[in-house]
């Protein structure tokens, strides 16, 4: 996230600290260093760029889906049981301040995206050799943990090997990150499959709780922004890329790949892509939770 110098905030009692691609971060004006206010905007990003226009209601969908998943995952997380300011209550969380770790914990149950491109070049992903002859979208024999170095905003995250993650955070924390990530993915994938959805891949972020020293799940979790979700019925009936009917921002990525050479400023998303993306985010929320989408 980029730092902000202004002490002014539209939310009484909170001071704006930093802006990320999608989220705004606030800290208490009274100097309480134990908590923060994390607000999800309606911005959408792809290929390390913030895009225009926003996706209306997206922030609430991401936040509420994260909150639902946090309840399903029996591991320490950063949520505090405090109410966010009313104007943004549906898209904000009050969370613990953690010492965040610079490793993005990616778990892949299928080979696609940047992982597939690396596989085509090397036959491996993040140093893990995979079976020969895999096609884009193929499910892997078992999920693999493929960490990334979390780069500052404006720079590209970098896929790294497990050994490189050890060099970043030490052997004990690296092993905990790998094991917890695979554990969460397995449970979440089983839950999604019950809802007729394939969890293809996702990424987690963790921090260390300074009060307890515990590894703590943070940021968003298993949302349409941080994960790839596919329709299981379409996947099983289809072939090639036709089977990859997604409930995530792959709709946006696909449009950009056809309409932008990834140099300069990305073009504005057309209205139909904005609408389709919101509809798929809403559909995922309802299928997974059994509840009405918040927007």
């Amino acid at each position: 996230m980029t730092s902000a110098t202004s002490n002014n905030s539209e939310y009484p009692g909170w001071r704006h600290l930093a802006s990320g691609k999608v989220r705004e971060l606030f800290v208490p004006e009274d100097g309480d260093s134990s908590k923060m206010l994390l607000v999800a905007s309606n911005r959408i990003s792809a290929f390390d760029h913030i895009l225009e226009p926003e996706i209306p209601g997206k922030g609430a969908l991401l936040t509420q889906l994260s909150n639902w998943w946090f309840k399903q995952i029996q591991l320490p997380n950063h949520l505090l049981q405090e109410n966010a300011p009313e104007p943004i209550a549906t898209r904000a969380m009050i969370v613990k301040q953690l010492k965040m770790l610079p490793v993005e914990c990616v778990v892949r149950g299928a080979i696609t995206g940047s992982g597939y491109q690396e596989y085509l070049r090397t036959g491996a992903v993040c140093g893990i050799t995979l079976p020969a002859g895999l096609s884009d979208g193929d499910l892997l024999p078992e999920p693999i943990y493929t960490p990334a170095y979390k780069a500052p905003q404006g720079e590209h995250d970098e896929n790294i090997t497990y050994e490189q993650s050890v060099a970043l955070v030490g052997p004990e924390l690296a092993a905990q990150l790998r094991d917890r990530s695979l554990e969460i993915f397995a449970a979440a994938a089983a839950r999604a499959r019950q809802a007729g959805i394939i969890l293809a891949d996702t990424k987690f972020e963790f921090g260390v709780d300074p009060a307890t020293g515990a590894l703590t799940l943070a940021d968003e979790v298993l949302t349409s922004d941080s994960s790839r979700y596919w329709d299981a019925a379409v996947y099983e009936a289809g072939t090639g890329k036709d089977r990859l009917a997604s409930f995530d921002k792959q709709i946006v990525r696909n449009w950009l790949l056809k309409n932008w050479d990834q140099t300069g400023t990305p073009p504005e998303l057309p209205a139909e892509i904005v609408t389709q993306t919101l509809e798929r985010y809403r559909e995922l929320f309802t299928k997974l939770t059994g509840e009405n989408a918040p927007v």
Side-chain angles (χ1 to χ4, degrees), residues 115-129:
Y116 182 62
Q117 298 306 313
E118 183 177 347
Y119 166 77
L120 289 177
R121 293 192 306 270
T122 68
V125 180
C126 294
I128 301 173
T129 301

Side-chain angles (χ1 to χ4, degrees), residues 196 198 230-238:
I198 294 170
W230 298 333
D231 186 309
V234 174
Y235 183 91
E236 290 161 358

Side-chain angles (χ1 to χ4, degrees), residues 105-182:
C105 300
V106 180
V107 181
R108 304 174 191 269
I111 186 71
T112 192
S114 64
Y116 182 62
Q117 298 306 313
E118 183 177 347
Y119 166 77
L120 289 177
R121 293 192 306 270
T122 68
V125 180
C126 294
I128 301 173
T129 301
L130 297 178
L134 294 177
S135 298
D136 190 3
D138 281 357
L139 301 182
L140 298 172
E142 60 183 25
I144 58 173
Y145 175 69
T146 58
Y149 169 67
K150 188 165 180 58
Q153 184 174 342
E155 299 179 25
H156 292 282
D157 293 343
E158 177 188 353
N159 289 346
I160 58 176
T161 64
Y162 177 73
E163 289 72 25
Q164 287 173 304
S165 76
V166 170
L168 284 171
V169 300
E172 183 177 350
L173 271 178
Q176 288 185 55
L177 291 174
R178 176 196 61 201
D179 295 347
R180 295 294 178 272
S181 298
L182 289 168

Side-chain angles (χ1 to χ4, degrees), residues 47-270:
F47 303 117
D48 296 309
H49 286 267
I50 297 171
L51 307 174
E52 295 288 348
E54 297 184 346
I55 309 294
K58 174 177 168 285
L61 283 164
L62 295 185
T63 301
Q64 297 309 308
L65 187 56
S66 281
N67 286 342
W68 183 82
W69 275 117
F70 279 127
K71 292 176 184 176
Q72 316 304 314
I73 299 167
Q74 301 303 308
L75 289 171
N77 65 62
H78 68 164
L79 285 181
L80 293 172
Q81 299 305 311
E82 297 184 30
N83 294 325
E86 187 54 39
I88 52 165
T90 60
R91 59 185 181 92
M93 310 173 186
I94 296 180
V95 301
K96 299 175 185 176
Q97 283 207 39
L98 305 174
K99 180 183 178 183
M100 296 302 295
L101 299 173
V103 177
E104 200 165 68
C105 300
V106 180
V107 181
R108 304 174 191 269
I111 186 71
T112 192
S114 64
Y116 182 62
Q117 298 306 313
E118 183 177 347
Y119 166 77
L120 289 177
R121 293 192 306 270
T122 68
V125 180
C126 294
I128 301 173
T129 301
L130 297 178
L134 294 177
S135 298
D136 190 3
D138 281 357
L139 301 182
L140 298 172
E142 60 183 25
I144 58 173
Y145 175 69
T146 58
Y149 169 67
K150 188 165 180 58
Q153 184 174 342
E155 299 179 25
H156 292 282
D157 293 343
E158 177 188 353
N159 289 346
I160 58 176
T161 64
Y162 177 73
E163 289 72 25
Q164 287 173 304
S165 76
V166 170
L168 284 171
V169 300
E172 183 177 350
L173 271 178
Q176 288 185 55
L177 291 174
R178 176 196 61 201
D179 295 347
R180 295 294 178 272
S181 298
L182 289 168
E183 177 186 343
I184 298 169
F185 185 90
R191 183 65 180 259
R193 195 64 188 224
Q194 292 174 358
I197 295 168
I198 294 170
L199 175 58
D201 58 42
T202 195
K203 60 183 179 182
F204 305 110
E205 293 190 40
F206 292 87
V208 175
D209 188 335
T212 65
L215 187 67
T216 303
L217 186 60
D219 200 59
E220 63 181 319
V221 60
L222 294 159
T223 69
S224 302
D225 269 18
S226 66
S227 316
R228 282 186 175 89
Y229 286 102
W230 298 333
D231 186 309
V234 174
Y235 183 91
E236 290 161 358
T239 58
K241 285 198 173 185
D242 290 341
R243 58 187 171 160
L244 308 184
S246 66
F247 295 98
D248 50 65
K249 65 178 178 181
Q250 193 61 41
I251 296 168
V252 172
R253 294 191 194 99
N254 289 344
W255 185 86
L256 286 172
L257 287 170
K258 291 179 180 178
N259 295 278
W260 180 48
D261 63 3
Q262 297 193 43
T263 60
T265 302
E268 285 199 6
L269 301 175

